[in-house]
Amino acid sequence: AIVSARWNSIVCGSLTQGCVDAMKACGVDAADIVVEHVAGSYEIPFAAQVLLETKRFDGVVCIGCLIKGETMHFEYISEAVTQGIMNLNLKYNTPVIYGILGCLNEEQAK
């Protein structure tokens, strides 16, 4: 399964499509690839946990893009998402892949 943020949709959409393509290249049937979208990166760990609780997936790939601005918001969200994904890896016996970009500006994200 893939959980992707809608925020920074151009970057996240491209990363999500690349993930889907890579999964297919590794032999995963297209019908078995589930993509769920959430508002932003902050919501990714919860959505990943909901998917893990179903026990239907061999792994969850988390995709998001955080771009540093003028406030501390970037640091708070980055820390929360990172800790959330790490905790899912420790709690469940299923891989949760960290695919969250942390960029200083939009140019880096592209």
Side-chain angles (χ1 to χ4, degrees):
I2 300 168
V3 177
S4 181
R6 286 189 186 100
W7 193 259
N8 295 319
S9 62
I10 293 172
V11 174
C12 291
S14 178
L15 292 170
T16 299
Q17 187 58 55
C19 185
V20 168
D21 293 345
M23 292 171 98
K24 289 178 183 176
C26 289
V28 178
D29 191 308
D32 292 331
I33 300 173
V34 173
V35 179
E36 296 291 344
H37 291 92
V38 295
S41 293
Y42 189 78
E43 292 78 22
I44 289 173
F46 178 73
Q49 182 174 6
V50 169
L51 293 173
L52 289 166
E53 290 286 339
T54 69
K55 298 183 183 335
R56 289 182 44 218
F57 305 101
D58 294 326
V60 178
V61 180
C62 300
I63 295 175
C65 179
L66 299 168
I67 299 174
K68 186 169 176 64
E70 300 289 324
T71 67
M72 293 294 293
H73 183 258
F74 172 85
E75 283 82 1
Y76 298 143
I77 299 300
S78 294
E79 179 69 16
V81 172
T82 300
Q83 291 296 321
I85 292 172
M86 180 195 68
N87 287 334
L88 293 173
N89 274 292
L90 295 172
K91 182 176 179 181
Y92 296 89
N93 195 24
T94 304
V96 182
I97 309 304
Y98 186 90
I100 311 297
L101 295 181
C103 303
L104 296 177
N105 54 53
E106 286 189 41
E107 199 59 36
Q108 278 186 338
K110 296 177 182 173

XYZ file of all heavy atoms in Angstrom:
824
model
N 0.849 -1.180 0.000
C 0.000 0.000 0.000
C 0.890 1.237 0.000
O 2.031 1.201 0.448
C -0.911 0.004 1.216
N 0.323 2.310 -0.490
C 1.013 3.595 -0.526
C 0.106 4.622 0.127
O -1.081 4.687 -0.168
C 1.320 4.028 -1.975
C 2.204 3.002 -2.684
C 1.954 5.408 -2.008
C 2.301 3.215 -4.185
N 0.676 5.436 1.012
C -0.034 6.582 1.577
C 0.696 7.816 1.077
O 1.903 7.965 1.307
C -0.045 6.566 3.116
C -0.741 7.809 3.649
C -0.716 5.318 3.639
N -0.024 8.692 0.389
C 0.596 9.874 -0.204
C -0.137 11.134 0.219
O -1.374 11.167 0.251
C 0.585 9.758 -1.737
O 1.199 10.878 -2.327
N 0.631 12.173 0.512
C 0.057 13.464 0.879
C -0.427 14.204 -0.365
O 0.180 14.118 -1.431
C 1.104 14.307 1.607
N -1.512 14.938 -0.220
C -2.001 15.791 -1.304
C -1.229 17.110 -1.348
O -1.108 17.725 -2.393
C -3.492 16.084 -1.122
C -4.374 14.915 -1.450
C -5.854 15.333 -1.458
N -6.696 14.168 -1.632
C -7.334 13.550 -0.648
N -7.236 13.984 0.580
N -8.083 12.495 -0.901
N -0.752 17.555 -0.189
C 0.018 18.795 -0.110
C 1.295 18.625 -0.931
O 1.915 17.575 -0.868
C 0.351 19.105 1.346
C 0.866 20.482 1.560
C 2.169 20.847 1.727
C 0.106 21.685 1.647
N 2.259 22.191 1.897
C 0.991 22.738 1.853
C -1.264 21.956 1.549
C 0.585 24.051 1.982
C -1.672 23.268 1.683
C -0.745 24.289 1.896
N 1.682 19.635 -1.679
C 2.804 19.546 -2.627
C 2.527 18.427 -3.632
O 3.344 17.540 -3.871
C 4.139 19.331 -1.912
C 4.513 20.510 -1.054
O 4.337 21.655 -1.455
N 5.018 20.251 0.138
N 1.343 18.498 -4.214
C 0.824 17.406 -5.046
C 1.668 17.111 -6.287
O 1.713 15.959 -6.726
C -0.621 17.687 -5.451
O -0.703 18.866 -6.226
N 2.317 18.101 -6.850
C 3.136 17.831 -8.042
C 4.287 16.899 -7.679
O 4.531 15.899 -8.358
C 3.655 19.141 -8.665
C 2.479 19.939 -9.237
C 4.694 18.864 -9.746
C 2.827 21.333 -9.701
N 4.954 17.198 -6.584
C 6.078 16.364 -6.140
C 5.577 15.012 -5.656
O 6.081 13.959 -6.071
C 6.879 17.081 -5.032
C 7.958 16.169 -4.465
C 7.491 18.369 -5.564
N 4.568 15.007 -4.797
C 4.060 13.747 -4.229
C 3.436 12.860 -5.303
O 3.584 11.636 -5.262
C 3.063 14.020 -3.113
S 3.842 14.732 -1.653
N 2.757 13.469 -6.261
C 2.169 12.691 -7.349
C 3.223 11.985 -8.174
O 3.072 10.814 -8.535
N 4.309 12.685 -8.452
C 5.412 12.090 -9.212
C 6.075 10.959 -8.430
O 6.365 9.887 -8.983
C 6.435 13.174 -9.553
O 7.524 12.630 -10.245
N 6.284 11.178 -7.137
C 6.884 10.135 -6.297
C 5.960 8.917 -6.183
O 6.421 7.769 -6.228
C 7.194 10.686 -4.903
C 8.301 11.724 -4.822
C 8.338 12.350 -3.424
C 9.647 11.111 -5.177
N 4.669 9.177 -6.060
C 3.706 8.084 -5.959
C 3.685 7.271 -7.243
O 3.696 6.029 -7.208
C 2.303 8.629 -5.628
O 2.364 9.312 -4.368
C 1.278 7.512 -5.546
N 3.671 7.951 -8.379
C 3.677 7.232 -9.655
C 4.962 6.415 -9.814
O 4.930 5.281 -10.287
C 3.516 8.191 -10.835
C 3.337 7.467 -12.156
C 2.139 6.525 -12.163
O 1.015 6.930 -11.872
N 2.367 5.259 -12.466
N 6.079 6.973 -9.401
C 7.343 6.233 -9.449
C 7.313 5.003 -8.561
O 7.834 3.946 -8.928
N 6.678 5.120 -7.408
C 6.547 3.982 -6.492
C 5.667 2.897 -7.103
O 6.005 1.711 -7.053
C 5.981 4.465 -5.164
S 5.902 3.188 -3.895
N 4.548 3.306 -7.689
C 3.657 2.344 -8.351
C 4.406 1.640 -9.476
O 4.349 0.408 -9.611
C 2.383 3.045 -8.884
C 1.594 2.127 -9.809
C 1.510 3.515 -7.725
N 5.124 2.397 -10.293
C 5.890 1.813 -11.400
C 6.935 0.825 -10.894
O 7.112 -0.250 -11.473
C 6.563 2.912 -12.230
C 5.566 3.792 -12.973
O 4.382 3.405 -13.093
O 5.977 4.893 -13.412
N 7.615 1.188 -9.803
C 8.641 0.303 -9.238
C 8.020 -0.979 -8.691
O 8.577 -2.073 -8.855
C 9.416 1.029 -8.143
N 6.867 -0.859 -8.060
C 6.190 -2.046 -7.535
C 5.794 -2.989 -8.673
O 5.990 -4.202 -8.584
C 4.968 -1.639 -6.708
C 5.326 -0.930 -5.418
S 3.886 -0.226 -4.601
C 3.539 -1.483 -3.401
N 5.259 -2.421 -9.752
C 4.892 -3.245 -10.908
C 6.122 -3.903 -11.516
O 6.078 -5.077 -11.900
C 4.175 -2.393 -11.956
C 2.787 -1.972 -11.562
C 2.174 -1.087 -12.644
C 0.806 -0.576 -12.261
N 0.274 0.358 -13.287
N 7.227 -3.173 -11.587
C 8.473 -3.717 -12.138
C 9.007 -4.869 -11.289
O 9.706 -5.745 -11.798
C 9.526 -2.616 -12.254
N 8.640 -4.877 -10.017
C 9.065 -5.957 -9.119
C 8.067 -7.105 -9.080
O 8.194 -8.024 -8.275
C 9.282 -5.410 -7.714
S 10.720 -4.356 -7.563
N 7.043 -7.027 -9.936
C 6.110 -8.135 -10.040
C 4.839 -8.008 -9.224
O 4.056 -8.955 -9.149
N 4.613 -6.857 -8.611
C 3.370 -6.679 -7.861
C 2.241 -6.435 -8.861
O 2.349 -5.576 -9.736
C 3.486 -5.491 -6.876
C 2.174 -5.283 -6.133
C 4.632 -5.722 -5.898
N 1.174 -7.186 -8.727
C 0.016 -7.035 -9.609
C -0.639 -5.678 -9.351
O -0.824 -5.280 -8.201
C -0.980 -8.164 -9.318
C -2.083 -8.242 -10.351
O -2.729 -7.207 -10.621
O -2.299 -9.340 -10.890
N -0.994 -4.987 -10.420
C -1.603 -3.656 -10.305
C -2.841 -3.676 -9.412
O -3.105 -2.706 -8.678
C -1.946 -3.112 -11.678
N -3.584 -4.757 -9.429
C -4.791 -4.868 -8.604
C -4.466 -4.921 -7.120
O -5.333 -4.648 -6.277
C -5.590 -6.103 -9.010
N -3.224 -5.268 -6.782
C -2.813 -5.365 -5.383
C -2.195 -4.075 -4.856
O -1.808 -4.010 -3.680
C -1.809 -6.508 -5.204
C -2.450 -7.867 -5.429
O -3.665 -7.990 -5.186
O -1.736 -8.794 -5.864
N -2.066 -3.062 -5.692
C -1.471 -1.792 -5.276
C -2.584 -0.832 -4.886
O -3.403 -0.439 -5.707
C -0.603 -1.187 -6.396
C 0.529 -2.152 -6.764
C -0.046 0.168 -5.961
C 1.331 -1.726 -7.980
N -2.621 -0.478 -3.617
C -3.627 0.437 -3.086
C -2.935 1.756 -2.768
O -1.920 1.780 -2.076
C -4.284 -0.141 -1.812
C -5.201 0.870 -1.159
C -5.029 -1.424 -2.145
N -3.481 2.846 -3.284
C -2.953 4.180 -2.997
C -4.022 4.959 -2.243
O -5.141 5.123 -2.730
C -2.566 4.929 -4.290
C -2.042 6.325 -3.956
C -1.545 4.144 -5.089
N -3.668 5.411 -1.064
C -4.567 6.245 -0.255
C -3.947 7.631 -0.142
O -2.739 7.761 0.051
C -4.758 5.650 1.143
C -5.441 4.309 1.160
C -6.912 4.373 0.762
O -7.500 5.476 0.763
O -7.470 3.316 0.435
N -4.779 8.646 -0.276
C -4.299 10.025 -0.177
C -4.810 10.662 1.112
O -5.952 10.429 1.518
C -4.775 10.836 -1.384
C -4.111 10.420 -2.653
N -4.648 9.466 -3.492
C -2.952 10.804 -3.222
C -3.847 9.289 -4.519
N -2.812 10.091 -4.377
N -3.948 11.452 1.720
C -4.305 12.213 2.918
C -3.984 13.681 2.646
O -3.282 14.008 1.686
C -3.556 11.696 4.165
C -3.986 10.281 4.510
C -2.044 11.753 3.976
N -4.471 14.543 3.504
C -4.301 15.980 3.280
C -2.831 16.385 3.217
O -2.394 17.051 2.277
C -5.025 16.764 4.367
N -2.069 16.008 4.213
C -0.664 16.410 4.265
C 0.177 15.346 4.936
O -0.327 14.295 5.352
N 1.455 15.620 5.063
C 2.378 14.637 5.640
C 2.048 14.300 7.089
O 2.279 13.178 7.538
C 3.820 15.144 5.532
O 4.210 15.198 4.182
N 1.507 15.258 7.828
C 1.188 15.020 9.231
C 0.199 13.864 9.399
O 0.257 13.128 10.377
C 0.624 16.298 9.861
C 0.458 16.227 11.348
C 1.561 16.378 12.190
C -0.780 15.998 11.925
C 1.419 16.305 13.562
C -0.934 15.923 13.293
C 0.175 16.077 14.106
O 0.035 15.998 15.466
N -0.692 13.689 8.436
C -1.709 12.645 8.520
C -1.221 11.271 8.060
O -1.916 10.273 8.231
C -2.933 13.043 7.684
C -3.707 14.221 8.240
C -3.081 15.585 7.964
O -2.286 15.714 7.017
O -3.386 16.520 8.726
N -0.037 11.211 7.482
C 0.463 9.955 6.920
C 0.602 8.837 7.948
O 0.140 7.717 7.703
C 1.779 10.183 6.140
C 1.463 10.938 4.842
C 2.501 8.874 5.858
C 2.698 11.374 4.064
N 1.228 9.066 9.116
C 1.371 7.946 10.060
C 0.037 7.325 10.486
O -0.066 6.104 10.591
C 2.114 8.561 11.247
C 2.889 9.692 10.648
C 1.985 10.248 9.584
N -0.972 8.148 10.697
C -2.269 7.594 11.093
C -2.869 6.755 9.973
O -3.368 5.644 10.207
C -3.249 8.689 11.515
C -4.597 8.143 11.874
C -4.775 7.444 13.061
C -5.672 8.292 11.020
C -6.015 6.912 13.392
C -6.917 7.766 11.339
C -7.092 7.079 12.525
N -2.828 7.259 8.751
C -3.371 6.502 7.619
C -2.603 5.194 7.436
O -3.206 4.150 7.158
C -3.306 7.340 6.347
N -1.296 5.239 7.601
C -0.490 4.018 7.493
C -0.895 3.017 8.574
O -0.993 1.817 8.312
C 0.994 4.350 7.589
N -1.156 3.508 9.775
C -1.577 2.615 10.858
C -2.921 1.965 10.536
O -3.113 0.769 10.773
C -1.673 3.371 12.176
C -2.061 2.463 13.333
C -2.019 3.177 14.669
O -1.811 4.373 14.754
N -2.211 2.419 15.716
N -3.851 2.730 9.991
C -5.157 2.169 9.616
C -4.959 1.042 8.604
O -5.576 -0.028 8.716
C -6.081 3.271 9.051
C -7.328 2.669 8.410
C -6.461 4.258 10.149
N -4.088 1.254 7.625
C -3.821 0.207 6.631
C -3.146 -1.004 7.270
O -3.479 -2.146 6.958
C -2.953 0.761 5.502
C -3.618 1.817 4.618
C -2.610 2.406 3.650
C -4.808 1.246 3.878
N -2.204 -0.770 8.164
C -1.518 -1.877 8.839
C -2.489 -2.718 9.668
O -2.362 -3.942 9.730
C -0.395 -1.344 9.727
C 0.817 -0.785 8.995
C 1.686 0.023 9.944
C 1.611 -1.904 8.345
N -3.444 -2.052 10.299
C -4.411 -2.762 11.147
C -5.252 -3.750 10.339
O -5.760 -4.718 10.897
C -5.317 -1.764 11.873
C -4.619 -0.950 12.943
C -4.309 -1.726 14.201
O -4.943 -2.773 14.447
O -3.413 -1.298 14.937
N -5.400 -3.519 9.039
C -6.187 -4.443 8.215
C -5.450 -5.762 7.977
O -6.081 -6.747 7.594
C -6.519 -3.828 6.838
O -5.328 -3.725 6.060
C -7.214 -2.488 6.973
N -4.124 -5.748 8.136
C -3.274 -6.927 7.898
C -3.381 -7.428 6.453
O -3.144 -8.594 6.173
C -3.582 -8.039 8.886
C -3.323 -7.650 10.320
C -3.568 -8.809 11.246
C -3.427 -8.583 12.663
N -2.856 -7.840 13.473
N -3.750 -6.542 5.526
C -3.903 -6.910 4.113
C -2.641 -6.661 3.295
O -2.556 -7.118 2.153
C -5.041 -6.093 3.481
C -6.419 -6.447 3.926
C -7.489 -5.627 3.204
N -7.241 -5.509 1.783
C -7.473 -4.413 1.056
N -7.969 -3.339 1.625
N -7.230 -4.400 -0.232
N -1.682 -5.919 3.846
C -0.567 -5.447 3.035
C 0.771 -5.969 3.542
O 0.985 -6.119 4.738
C -0.561 -3.913 3.014
C -1.872 -3.339 2.542
C -2.793 -2.833 3.445
C -2.200 -3.358 1.192
C -4.013 -2.328 3.018
C -3.415 -2.860 0.753
C -4.325 -2.344 1.665
N 1.679 -6.234 2.594
C 3.029 -6.687 2.933
C 3.924 -5.533 3.357
O 5.007 -5.743 3.886
C 3.665 -7.401 1.738
C 2.944 -8.691 1.402
O 2.458 -9.364 2.335
O 2.863 -9.026 0.208
N 3.494 -4.319 3.115
C 4.252 -3.136 3.490
C 3.462 -1.890 3.143
O 2.483 -1.937 2.392
N 3.888 -0.770 3.717
C 3.266 0.521 3.435
C 4.380 1.507 3.109
O 5.343 1.633 3.863
C 2.437 1.042 4.632
C 1.842 2.409 4.323
C 1.351 0.057 5.018
N 4.241 2.183 1.976
C 5.186 3.221 1.581
C 4.539 4.570 1.880
O 3.415 4.835 1.429
C 5.548 3.128 0.083
C 6.534 4.227 -0.297
C 6.122 1.754 -0.242
N 5.234 5.394 2.645
C 4.722 6.709 3.034
C 5.402 7.778 2.182
O 6.637 7.876 2.176
C 5.002 6.967 4.506
S 4.254 5.756 5.598
N 4.607 8.583 1.471
C 5.152 9.574 0.553
C 4.620 10.959 0.909
O 3.405 11.170 0.985
C 4.796 9.229 -0.905
C 5.472 7.911 -1.295
C 5.202 10.364 -1.845
C 5.105 7.404 -2.663
N 5.550 11.871 1.116
C 5.187 13.251 1.414
C 6.342 14.175 1.072
O 7.450 13.730 0.777
N 6.080 15.462 1.108
C 7.111 16.450 0.817
C 6.916 17.651 1.733
O 5.883 18.323 1.677
C 7.040 16.880 -0.650
S 8.267 18.119 -1.096
N 7.906 17.887 2.570
C 7.879 19.023 3.483
C 8.902 20.053 3.005
O 10.051 19.713 2.742
C 8.221 18.566 4.901
C 7.256 17.546 5.498
C 7.832 16.954 6.771
C 5.914 18.200 5.760
N 8.454 21.299 2.879
C 9.339 22.366 2.416
C 9.465 23.405 3.529
O 8.463 23.925 4.021
C 8.805 23.005 1.118
C 8.726 21.933 0.023
C 9.692 24.169 0.686
C 8.100 22.381 -1.263
N 10.704 23.680 3.909
C 10.970 24.606 5.006
C 10.511 26.011 4.631
O 10.746 26.489 3.539
C 12.456 24.618 5.330
C 12.802 25.432 6.551
C 14.238 25.174 6.941
C 14.675 26.023 8.103
N 13.964 25.738 9.332
N 9.857 26.647 5.564
C 9.419 28.027 5.371
C 10.093 28.930 6.387
O 11.177 28.629 6.890
N 9.432 30.008 6.718
C 9.989 31.007 7.634
C 9.711 30.701 9.103
O 10.255 31.369 9.978
C 9.403 32.384 7.285
C 9.705 32.850 5.870
C 11.162 33.228 5.673
O 11.772 33.773 6.612
O 11.693 32.935 4.584
N 8.867 29.705 9.373
C 8.484 29.421 10.760
C 9.018 28.056 11.191
O 9.615 27.326 10.406
C 6.948 29.421 10.911
O 6.418 28.308 10.195
C 6.352 30.719 10.373
N 8.749 27.696 12.424
C 9.186 26.407 12.973
C 8.280 25.254 12.537
O 8.536 24.104 12.872
C 9.205 26.474 14.511
C 10.257 27.410 15.070
S 11.921 26.835 14.730
C 11.964 25.363 15.725
N 7.229 25.532 11.798
C 6.264 24.524 11.374
C 6.947 23.318 10.736
O 6.619 22.166 11.024
C 5.267 25.168 10.397
C 4.187 24.255 9.940
N 4.197 23.650 8.707
C 3.054 23.833 10.556
C 3.125 22.895 8.588
N 2.407 22.994 9.677
N 7.911 23.550 9.852
C 8.637 22.485 9.157
C 9.264 21.519 10.152
O 9.141 20.299 10.009
C 9.714 23.111 8.263
C 10.662 22.116 7.645
C 10.338 21.467 6.470
C 11.897 21.849 8.225
C 11.212 20.562 5.884
C 12.776 20.943 7.653
C 12.434 20.300 6.485
N 9.945 22.059 11.169
C 10.608 21.206 12.151
C 9.606 20.373 12.941
O 9.829 19.184 13.190
C 11.482 22.035 13.101
C 12.796 22.487 12.503
C 12.683 23.744 11.625
O 11.563 24.299 11.484
O 13.710 24.149 11.069
N 8.508 20.995 13.336
C 7.503 20.273 14.122
C 6.870 19.133 13.317
O 6.727 18.016 13.819
C 6.396 21.218 14.605
C 6.876 22.323 15.513
C 6.324 23.593 15.433
C 7.889 22.119 16.446
C 6.761 24.621 16.260
C 8.332 23.135 17.266
C 7.759 24.385 17.171
O 8.186 25.398 17.981
N 6.497 19.432 12.094
C 5.858 18.416 11.262
C 6.860 17.311 10.913
O 6.532 16.118 10.974
C 5.252 19.036 9.982
C 4.185 20.067 10.336
C 4.679 17.955 9.070
C 3.018 19.537 11.131
N 8.079 17.690 10.557
C 9.107 16.689 10.217
C 9.336 15.724 11.374
O 9.394 14.513 11.175
C 10.434 17.372 9.863
O 10.324 18.109 8.693
N 9.467 16.269 12.567
C 9.715 15.436 13.748
C 8.526 14.510 14.023
O 8.698 13.318 14.278
C 9.984 16.313 14.966
C 10.233 15.544 16.244
C 11.543 14.769 16.254
O 12.413 15.031 15.413
O 11.677 13.881 17.123
N 7.319 15.045 13.950
C 6.128 14.238 14.231
C 5.972 13.107 13.225
O 5.696 11.959 13.604
C 4.877 15.128 14.214
N 6.163 13.406 11.946
C 6.003 12.386 10.906
C 7.086 11.318 11.040
O 6.821 10.122 10.952
C 6.017 13.035 9.502
C 6.046 11.979 8.415
C 4.818 13.946 9.335
N 8.311 11.752 11.273
C 9.427 10.814 11.414
C 9.209 9.887 12.608
O 9.372 8.662 12.489
C 10.756 11.575 11.555
O 10.949 12.372 10.384
C 11.925 10.628 11.732
N 8.826 10.447 13.743
C 8.575 9.629 14.934
C 7.381 8.696 14.710
O 7.412 7.542 15.126
C 8.327 10.522 16.152
C 9.542 11.281 16.614
C 10.654 10.375 17.102
O 10.407 9.365 17.760
N 11.875 10.725 16.768
N 6.349 9.206 14.053
C 5.170 8.380 13.791
C 5.498 7.172 12.934
O 5.094 6.044 13.237
N 6.251 7.388 11.866
C 6.623 6.275 10.989
C 7.567 5.311 11.701
O 7.427 4.093 11.587
C 7.216 6.810 9.667
C 6.121 7.519 8.864
C 7.838 5.676 8.844
C 6.613 8.262 7.638
N 8.507 5.852 12.470
C 9.412 4.987 13.222
C 8.628 4.109 14.208
O 8.861 2.900 14.310
C 10.447 5.803 13.998
C 11.402 4.921 14.785
S 12.345 5.799 16.027
C 11.089 6.231 17.194
N 7.668 4.712 14.895
C 6.874 3.946 15.864
C 6.066 2.843 15.190
O 5.904 1.757 15.757
C 5.959 4.881 16.650
C 6.731 5.725 17.645
O 7.806 5.343 18.109
N 6.200 6.889 17.956
N 5.566 3.100 13.993
C 4.837 2.052 13.266
C 5.759 0.885 12.936
O 5.351 -0.275 13.016
C 4.223 2.615 11.985
C 3.096 3.632 12.171
C 2.698 4.219 10.824
C 1.909 3.015 12.883
N 6.988 1.180 12.565
C 7.950 0.119 12.271
C 8.250 -0.714 13.507
O 8.454 -1.926 13.413
C 9.246 0.712 11.705
C 9.172 0.916 10.223
O 9.119 -0.036 9.461
N 9.139 2.167 9.796
N 8.278 -0.089 14.662
C 8.556 -0.816 15.899
C 7.346 -1.613 16.388
O 7.499 -2.679 16.978
C 9.006 0.162 16.993
C 10.332 0.873 16.724
C 10.569 1.945 17.777
C 11.485 -0.121 16.678
N 6.146 -1.105 16.127
C 4.933 -1.736 16.653
C 4.436 -2.897 15.801
O 3.919 -3.883 16.330
C 3.825 -0.677 16.766
C 2.531 -1.200 17.336
C 1.508 -0.093 17.515
C 0.212 -0.662 18.063
N -0.808 0.363 18.233
N 4.577 -2.783 14.477
C 4.023 -3.795 13.574
C 5.151 -4.611 12.952
O 6.244 -4.130 12.765
C 3.189 -3.126 12.475
C 1.980 -2.422 13.026
C 2.055 -1.096 13.423
C 0.772 -3.089 13.178
C 0.945 -0.444 13.949
C -0.338 -2.452 13.704
C -0.241 -1.123 14.092
O -1.328 -0.481 14.612
N 4.858 -5.800 12.599
C 5.849 -6.677 11.964
C 5.725 -6.568 10.443
O 5.720 -7.571 9.743
C 5.641 -8.117 12.435
C 6.827 -8.988 12.124
O 7.944 -8.500 11.967
N 6.599 -10.278 12.003
N 5.582 -5.349 9.974
C 5.390 -5.054 8.557
C 6.207 -3.807 8.223
O 6.168 -2.834 8.978
C 3.894 -4.776 8.267
O 3.127 -5.899 8.717
C 3.638 -4.557 6.793
N 6.951 -3.810 7.119
C 7.760 -2.635 6.779
C 6.906 -1.397 6.475
O 5.911 -1.487 5.756
C 8.523 -3.056 5.516
C 8.306 -4.511 5.352
C 7.115 -4.899 6.160
N 7.317 -0.290 7.046
C 6.714 1.009 6.749
C 7.863 1.878 6.235
O 8.780 2.217 6.977
C 6.055 1.639 7.990
C 5.396 2.963 7.639
C 5.035 0.679 8.597
N 7.820 2.199 4.963
C 8.932 2.856 4.287
C 8.789 4.374 4.390
O 7.731 4.935 4.106
C 8.994 2.438 2.794
C 8.971 0.924 2.662
C 10.196 3.052 2.100
C 10.034 0.179 3.412
N 9.886 5.020 4.757
C 9.926 6.477 4.923
C 10.271 7.118 3.586
O 11.414 7.098 3.150
C 10.980 6.831 5.974
C 11.030 8.277 6.349
C 10.252 8.763 7.395
C 11.862 9.168 5.678
C 10.303 10.088 7.762
C 11.910 10.499 6.036
C 11.132 10.951 7.084
O 11.185 12.275 7.440
N 9.273 7.689 2.942
C 9.473 8.370 1.670
C 9.067 9.830 1.776
O 8.380 10.354 0.903
N 9.497 10.473 2.847
C 9.141 11.874 3.087
C 10.346 12.740 2.734
O 11.408 12.606 3.335
C 8.762 12.110 4.564
C 7.749 11.084 5.065
C 8.282 13.543 4.763
C 6.419 11.099 4.381
N 10.172 13.604 1.746
C 11.240 14.534 1.404
C 11.216 15.708 2.371
O 10.159 16.251 2.674
C 11.062 15.082 -0.018
C 11.163 14.111 -1.184
C 10.971 14.879 -2.501
C 12.493 13.400 -1.183
N 12.379 16.102 2.845
C 12.532 17.301 3.657
C 13.415 18.263 2.883
O 14.615 18.039 2.777
N 12.829 19.305 2.328
C 13.549 20.208 1.424
C 13.599 21.622 1.995
O 12.677 22.053 2.686
C 12.866 20.231 0.065
S 12.721 18.593 -0.677
N 14.655 22.318 1.659
C 14.792 23.705 2.120
C 13.964 24.659 1.273
O 13.597 25.744 1.733
C 16.264 24.125 2.090
C 17.167 23.337 3.048
C 18.609 23.779 2.894
C 16.703 23.512 4.482
N 13.686 24.296 0.024
C 12.900 25.163 -0.854
C 12.229 24.319 -1.936
O 12.523 23.136 -2.080
C 13.777 26.263 -1.466
C 15.001 25.693 -2.166
O 14.875 24.810 -3.038
N 16.179 26.168 -1.797
N 11.344 24.947 -2.690
C 10.613 24.222 -3.739
C 11.523 23.705 -4.837
O 11.266 22.650 -5.416
C 9.521 25.119 -4.330
C 8.343 25.304 -3.402
C 7.190 26.014 -4.074
O 6.906 25.722 -5.252
O 6.568 26.857 -3.407
N 12.583 24.435 -5.113
C 13.517 24.001 -6.158
C 14.147 22.657 -5.807
O 14.307 21.792 -6.667
C 14.605 25.073 -6.367
C 15.324 24.971 -7.675
C 14.403 25.086 -8.882
O 13.429 25.861 -8.849
O 14.650 24.370 -9.858
N 14.520 22.458 -4.555
C 15.078 21.172 -4.120
C 14.053 20.055 -4.278
O 14.405 18.933 -4.610
C 15.512 21.228 -2.668
C 16.857 21.835 -2.434
C 17.265 21.710 -0.970
O 16.438 21.542 -0.075
N 18.560 21.814 -0.737
N 12.813 20.354 -4.009
C 11.756 19.338 -4.064
C 11.553 18.827 -5.487
O 11.217 17.669 -5.684
C 10.446 19.907 -3.530
N 11.767 19.678 -6.467
C 11.544 19.290 -7.852
C 12.747 18.563 -8.391
O 12.750 17.767 -9.218
C 11.229 20.515 -8.697
C 9.923 21.160 -8.254
C 9.643 22.409 -9.045
C 8.367 23.051 -8.530
N 8.075 24.325 -9.079
